[in-house]
Amino acid sequence: MSDGVLIAGAGPVGLTCALALARHGIAVTVLERGDTLSTASRASTFHPGTLDLLEPLGVVPELTAAGRLVSHIQWRDLTGTVLAAMDFAVLQGLTRHPYRLHAEQSTLTRLLAAALLALPGTRLLTGHEVRDVITAPGSVRIRATTRAGTSEFTGRFLVAADGAHSSVRTALGVDFPGEDYPHYALRVITGTPLDEKVPGLAPLAYIRDVRQSFSVLGLRDHWRLIFRIPAGIDAGDAVRPDAVRDLVRRALPQTDVRIDDAHTYRVSRRVLERYRHGTVFFAGDAAHLTSTAGGLNMNCGLHDAADLAETLTALLRGDGNPDEHADRWAERRRAALVGTVLPLSEARARGADGGDPRAAVAEVARTAADPALTRHYLARSSLLPALSATA
């Protein structure tokens, strides 16, 4: 076994990096602040490019079996008129997975953890929150708090994949510049089979109408309706049962929808100035936050993780100049976030902010009418390297 890598955070990003390293024979220790792996309902979208990079880890068949394949995207209005549509089949030849997959983030973490612990030289320790981080050339030492007190760990590198409220970032005093968006999101979950109630509804649909705009995502066993709530509305008022019922009735006026859950969450735009701080590497939500539109932030984090695993493997094997390898990874991943993911996530949300969505829909319709533009649009929004570097 090679010298070990410490990973803070047992979410999808941390576990993807851990499993990829372990498959290269690198010893890994994953420290998770929670007492168990999270089962919270969070991100649910996996893009073609992400499925491609997860495939070598052996988790895609089970993830696919637990999810729902999405063959196309629709833009619709409240009357049910399809304003534009794009078929992922145009990505044939660019990806082995010309579709999106809707599945719970927690399903992926469970599969990654099981695969990781089946390999030698791996540890996944729950109930361990990083408190102190001491870096030195070629090594890092951390102290984690547990129910029993504190534990210390030493490794060659530390991957900080411990989320938006990263304890590693706090321990190192690293600033997380950016801002919260003025609006916030309301997620409504229903077990009502909306595709049986709404004629022709795709499991990925953006409803854009001057009266009400929202997004619809169909998973294997439930549907999600995502609304933007203006900053002036209190979050407590937004989730009152009567308020949620009224909102859903306006959104789907001809459909009887059972509301199983409704909750709000903040959305932010934040990006680290540097993803690398000596022997510590930041990835996923610990490094960047964007609008949740299109599920791009988590998918970008998984790309961070897979790329970082290859970089750290090369460093541990002594391939090339260590600082040059490490800095190139950090620059490459930050450039992908700033140059591609942030603009895409904000563009995807246009027309959902309570304003007039007609201009945004007209632009999408022009793109959808041109096969070459459609291919480019879907490749870029799927984080496929073949076309995503082009604006």
Side-chain angles (χ1 to χ4, degrees):
M1 299 293 294
S2 303
D3 289 340
V5 174
L6 306 175
I7 298 177
V13 174
L15 289 174
T16 293
C17 189
L19 181 55
L21 286 166
R23 288 171 64 90
H24 284 303
I26 308 298
V28 294
T29 297
V30 181
L31 306 175
E32 164 58 37
R33 68 165 66 97
D35 291 331
T36 60
L37 296 180
S38 174
T39 58
S41 182
R42 292 181 179 168
S44 59
T45 296
F46 297 92
H47 292 296
T50 304
L51 294 171
D52 286 347
L53 68 85
L54 289 173
E55 189 174 44
L57 302 182
V59 298
V60 169
E62 287 183 82
L63 182 64
T64 301
R68 181 170 188 163
L69 294 186
V70 178
S71 63
H72 63 289
I73 311 176
Q74 289 179 343
W75 285 260
R76 302 164 62 104
D77 65 18
L78 289 181
T79 70
T81 301
V82 176
L83 307 171
M86 296 185 191
D87 194 322
F88 284 102
V90 300
L91 298 180
Q92 292 282 358
L94 294 179
T95 172
R96 295 181 298 280
H97 304 88
Y99 46 80
R100 270 173 53 162
L101 177 68
H102 287 174
E104 291 280 11
Q105 171 182 311
S106 57
T107 301
L108 176 61
T109 57
R110 175 178 54 80
L111 295 172
L112 292 169
L116 175 69
L117 294 177
L119 297 176
T122 62
R123 291 189 294 175
L124 171 53
L125 305 176
T126 57
H128 284 65
E129 181 171 6
V130 174
R131 289 298 185 187
D132 298 303
V133 179
I134 301 170
T135 63
S139 70
V140 60
R141 186 170 85 251
I142 66 176
R143 182 179 294 110
T145 58
T146 70
R147 289 181 181 274
T150 61
S151 297
E152 291 195 1
F153 302 87
T154 302
R156 288 283 302 278
F157 303 105
L158 169 62
V159 177
D162 53 343
H165 304 290
S166 169
S167 298
V168 175
R169 223 177 39 233
T170 299
L172 291 176
V174 175
D175 189 31
F176 199 23
E179 60 186 357
D180 292 336
Y181 287 99
H183 63 274
Y184 55 97
L186 170 67
R187 179 190 287 135
V188 178
I189 295 177
T190 177
T192 301
L194 295 183
D195 51 346
E196 296 178 11
K197 303 286 187 178
V198 180
L201 181 67
L204 175 57
Y206 296 103
I207 313 304
R208 298 293 182 257
D209 196 293
V210 292
R211 294 164 290 177
Q212 178 68 63
S213 291
F214 60 102
S215 302
V216 180
L217 285 82
L219 279 78
R220 193 175 189 84
D221 61 353
H222 71 273
W223 288 72
R224 298 179 179 186
L225 310 177
I226 311 296
F227 300 89
R228 275 192 174 192
I229 305 299
I233 297 178
D234 180 77
D237 290 337
V239 296
R240 286 197 338 263
D242 59 328
V244 175
R245 282 195 302 270
D246 288 346
L247 181 60
V248 172
R249 285 195 190 107
R250 291 197 302 274
L252 298 168
Q254 306 303 319
T255 307
D256 184 19
V257 178
R258 186 184 77 234
I259 298 169
D260 297 324
D261 183 41
H263 53 269
T264 61
Y265 56 92
R266 298 296 311 187
V267 285
S268 305
R269 172 184 175 137
R270 299 185 184 278
V271 187
L272 286 183
E273 294 293 342
R274 293 184 294 126
Y275 283 19
R276 178 202 175 201
H277 290 255
T279 49
V280 179
F281 298 79
F282 290 89
D285 286 3
H288 51 76
L289 296 173
T290 72
S291 162
T292 55
L296 287 162
N297 196 67
M298 182 194 69
N299 282 263
C300 182
L302 294 174
H303 285 253
D304 295 343
D307 194 349
L308 181 56
E310 297 302 313
T311 297
L312 295 181
T313 298
L315 294 181
L316 290 165
R317 289 175 176 169
D319 298 341
N321 182 294
D323 283 332
E324 186 177 329
H325 263 312
D327 286 341
R328 274 208 305 261
W329 171 83
E331 292 164 3
R332 182 167 61 246
R333 294 312 309 156
R334 191 178 191 280
L337 187 284
V338 173
T340 298
V341 174
L342 267 175
L344 279 172
S345 65
E346 295 186 349
R348 181 63 59 85
R350 275 185 297 174
D353 56 4
D356 190 333
R358 284 174 289 193
V361 171
E363 182 181 342
V364 169
R366 284 192 295 270
T367 299
D370 184 318
L373 290 178
T374 297
R375 182 176 166 90
H376 174 79
Y377 177 95
L378 290 179
R380 191 163 182 257
S381 62
S382 299
L383 303 182
L384 289 168
L387 294 177
S388 62
T390 305

